[in-house]
Amino acid sequence: MIKSINIIGSGNVAHYFGQQLKNKVLIKNVFSRDLKHAKKLAEKIGALPVSNLMDLDQNVDLNIICVSDKGILEVCNSLNKSIAAVHTSGMTDLKAFDGFSHYGVIYPLQTMSKKNLPSKDMVPIFIESNVIDFEHKLLDLSKNTLGEEIKVLSSAKRSKMHLAAVFANNFVNYMLRVSGNIAAENELDFEVLLPLVQQTIKNAAEIGAEDSQTGPAIRKDEETINKHLALLKDEDRKRLYQLISELISKGKA
């Protein structure tokens, strides 16, 4: 059983892990190169902040690495390899843990913000480990704490899931930014569009995105498409509109 941990990182994912785990395990240290950032999270969860990896408490059961993908290998190379470690990345495989005896992944499939952390019922968790006994420990740590839907998933499958998530979240959010900017530039209320967004997600969940596709592109309504293009003065937006419309028209996804 995992009874004590260090959290390495102080960003959005670190805040989620800290808040969710503080009542289940003893969190000894929070690490950030910026001590001010480490202190902000540490104070919330009753841990001690550190700004040097060498100062991490060595008497813990697990180090949880919540840093960007590009920083994971550097952190792994600086950690005590006799202590079990996991990262929280969707794209980094287990090779980063070369030299560790027990290692794995706890990947939360959700967008995270310190200002608006999701509830655990909104966070599917994907687990991977190098050995079965450690996998069981990670499942026990995560169950009913980090998430309510916990699954074991390989690095290869997890990377594909992360790719799908980028389309579902990052790209959708960017489209909402474009929509919001068009509304603002024309003194229109973006909030009027929110019920449409909510119904779109509901339809995709209930009947599937392919069967719920609507709009001028799926109807091959060239007249409306050309009118929209005439309204778009920004060339990047125009190219974006044309590409997405073309793919929808072809039934390509």
Side-chain angles (χ1 to χ4, degrees):
M1 181 178 292
I2 295 169
K3 296 181 179 180
S4 58
I5 67 171
N6 292 321
I7 293 179
I8 300 169
S10 59
N12 296 325
V13 175
H15 271 73
Y16 179 75
F17 273 71
Q19 292 289 356
Q20 295 300 118
L21 291 174
K22 67 181 180 181
N23 294 321
K24 185 165 186 175
V25 296
L26 175 62
I27 305 176
K28 292 195 173 182
N29 291 147
V30 172
F31 164 84
S32 174
R33 286 191 175 84
D34 188 327
L35 191 58
K36 291 184 295 183
H37 292 164
K39 284 180 177 178
K40 285 182 181 179
L41 176 55
E43 288 172 0
K44 293 178 181 177
I45 61 178
L48 293 174
V50 297
S51 58
N52 190 319
L53 288 170
M54 298 300 104
D55 293 333
L56 285 170
D57 195 306
Q58 301 300 297
N59 187 28
V60 294
D61 299 316
L62 180 66
N63 283 318
I64 301 181
I65 304 169
C66 305
V67 301
S68 65
D69 285 23
K70 63 183 180 180
I72 291 174
L73 185 58
E74 180 184 350
V75 168
C76 286
N77 289 337
S78 301
L79 291 178
N80 182 342
K81 291 179 171 54
S82 68
I83 299 173
V86 295
H87 68 63
T88 59
S89 165
M91 286 301 293
T92 303
D93 63 27
L94 296 181
K95 295 176 183 176
F97 293 108
D98 183 43
F100 286 79
S101 57
H102 291 80
Y103 53 87
V105 178
I106 304 177
Y107 170 50
L109 182 61
Q110 186 53 275
T111 181
M112 300 282 182
S113 171
K114 299 175 193 175
K115 297 178 180 178
N116 188 27
L117 291 173
S119 57
K120 64 181 180 181
D121 61 306
M122 295 294 291
V123 186
I125 297 290
F126 296 98
I127 300 288
E128 185 178 15
S129 173
N130 68 315
V131 289
I132 194 67
D133 64 322
F134 187 52
E135 178 184 292
H136 291 158
K137 290 180 180 180
L138 296 182
L139 289 168
D140 178 68
L141 178 70
S142 303
K143 188 177 180 181
N144 297 323
T145 305
L146 293 173
E148 293 181 357
E149 182 180 357
I150 317 290
K151 294 183 178 180
V152 176
L153 201 67
S154 69
S155 289
K157 290 273 191 179
R158 179 165 33 87
S159 65
K160 306 272 192 325
M161 182 68 79
H162 188 270
L163 173 60
V166 167
F167 277 88
N169 172 240
N170 304 145
F171 292 175
V172 168
N173 188 70
Y174 180 78
M175 291 296 191
L176 292 174
R177 281 183 60 198
V178 173
S179 175
N181 287 340
I182 290 172
E185 289 161 10
N186 292 279
E187 299 180 341
L188 299 170
D189 184 3
F190 175 68
E191 290 193 6
V192 173
L193 293 165
L194 294 181
L196 173 65
V197 174
Q198 292 162 356
Q199 188 64 42
T200 301
I201 299 300
K202 186 172 185 288
N203 289 348
E206 293 179 357
I207 63 177
E210 182 176 357
D211 290 336
S212 59
Q213 183 72 58
T214 60
I218 197 69
R219 297 193 304 267
K220 296 181 171 54
D221 181 354
E222 294 296 331
E223 183 178 353
T224 298
I225 289 172
N226 288 332
K227 286 179 179 179
H228 283 167
L229 289 170
L231 291 172
L232 289 167
K233 306 306 178 187
D234 182 272
E235 288 301 317
D236 287 333
R237 288 181 187 171
K238 188 171 290 191
R239 285 197 299 272
L240 179 63
Y241 184 102
Q242 287 174 313
L243 175 59
I244 299 298
S245 294
E246 181 181 344
L247 292 173
I248 291 171
S249 179
K250 290 179 177 177
K252 223 173 161 184

